[in-house]
Amino acid sequence: MTDETSYGFDTLQIHAGARPDPTTGARQTPIYQTTAYVFRDADHAAALFNLQEVGFIYSRLTNPTVAVLQERIATLEGGVGAVCCSSGHAAQIMALFPLMMPGNNVVVSTRLYGGTVTQFTHTIKRFGWNAKFVDFDDLDAVKAACDDQTRAVFCEAIANPGGYITDLDAISAIADEAGVPMIVDNTSATPYLCRPIEHGATLVVHSTTKYLTGNGTVTGGCVVDSGKFDWSASDKFPSLSAPEPAYHGLKFHETFGALAYTFHGIAIGLRDLGMTMNPQAAHYTLMGTETLSLRMDRHVENAMKIAEWLENDPRVDYVTYAGLKSSPYNARVEKICPRGAGGLFTFAVKGGYDACIKLVNALEIFSHVANLGDTRSLIIHSASTTHRQLTKDQQIAAGAAPEVVRVSIGTENADDLIADLDQALSKATA
Ligand SMILES: *Cc1c(COP(=O)(O)O)cnc(C)c1O
């Protein structure tokens, strides 16, 4: 191919990272279902293990099918490299791992996927890491939360569950001032709707389980590096700037430059944490990425129609879709995600918690599942499921109050979805 970066998104989502198989000519990327790769000779093996030559050693580290997906997602996000892993949650740990030491903290938005709130509130403490939760619409509070132990700022571009849009430019200015990377979870927006690196993100994480795969078949995650952060500007990031004892004193940043973070993610992160994506999962996700823009356009079109219909329905108290003129986040759509506000939002049912439970039970096309970003329309009552482990205050701060349900609008016929909501709302509020 000529300069790949000059192609449009619709071309790159099909071609980036993939070439016809040099041995067989296979046009589709094969599933390289292998654990190990034969070394040419002992010198070749030594060079690979010393990171002097790039190649395949063992599939916990790298695999040709997974490598195609890594290059594709990195290209779509405008990054220099990416590391795929076994799930979105794995990607979050993998993203923080090169940055954090015991005693360090990450400043995070209160508006996050429920599982992320739990991971950051409880589990990362076992590593000696701490998360400081802040309302990311309060820029002074974000600024005040950054201290000399802060090593990253973390938010979602289009935030779960309400579909709120984060002012990435304003947050990245604060991260810059603090001398730490901004990490953006771009799962709900996808690189088709939002490109966080263009708004100052150093790292982008994904649950590829969702829209990138798009059909609810496999779990996966990805960490994309912009290649733009100067890891040696301070002594805050010794894993990347200081000699690495496990590689004979090699300094990642000095040796690999813009690719330091990606190489560290593979050579240390995947090697020692083992949160590897398998080639079957990479195959399903590659299939998904080929139609990403087509699906996202339909998700947005359907979400807009349904949000407008719900907003005008007397059985509904309010709708949080940022695409609606009434949303306080509407002004950010043009700046952060100009192709649309995604397919995810919440709405409050008159009758509260009990009516929400009845609604979920009465729907026929919508599936009641803990997932999002499927071609199928999905619904969940967050307060009794994904956000169940949170306190009531945390639920409200996260946008998962007891009276709201979260929908992930699929690519079905919008009129069918509206008819389904109509009959279920009647039963829920009877
Ligand atoms: C699902 C999700 C995650 C976690 O990803 P898994 O693949 O389920 O581990 C993280 N962030 C967001 C925004 C998600 O929707």
Side-chain angles (χ1 to χ4, degrees), residues 131-155:
K132 295 168 122 185
F133 285 87
V134 186
D135 176 355
F136 268 42
D137 284 336
D138 183 347
L139 298 178
D140 289 336
V142 179
K143 210 175 289 183
C146 293
D147 60 28
D148 60 0
Q149 292 300 316
T150 301
R151 293 295 177 271
V153 169
F154 185 103
C155 57

Side-chain angles (χ1 to χ4, degrees), residues 86-90 92 112-113 116 154 156 158 160 185-188 206-210 219-221 344 371-372 406:
S86 49
S87 70
H89 266 15
Q92 290 168 188
L112 295 176
Y113 176 72
T116 306
F154 185 103
E156 294 178 8
I158 298 182
N160 242 297
D185 181 339
N186 202 28
T187 300
S188 311
H206 277 283
S207 166
T208 60
T209 313
K210 314 293 169 53
T219 62
L344 191 69
N371 192 18
L372 61 95
R406 185 195 74 188

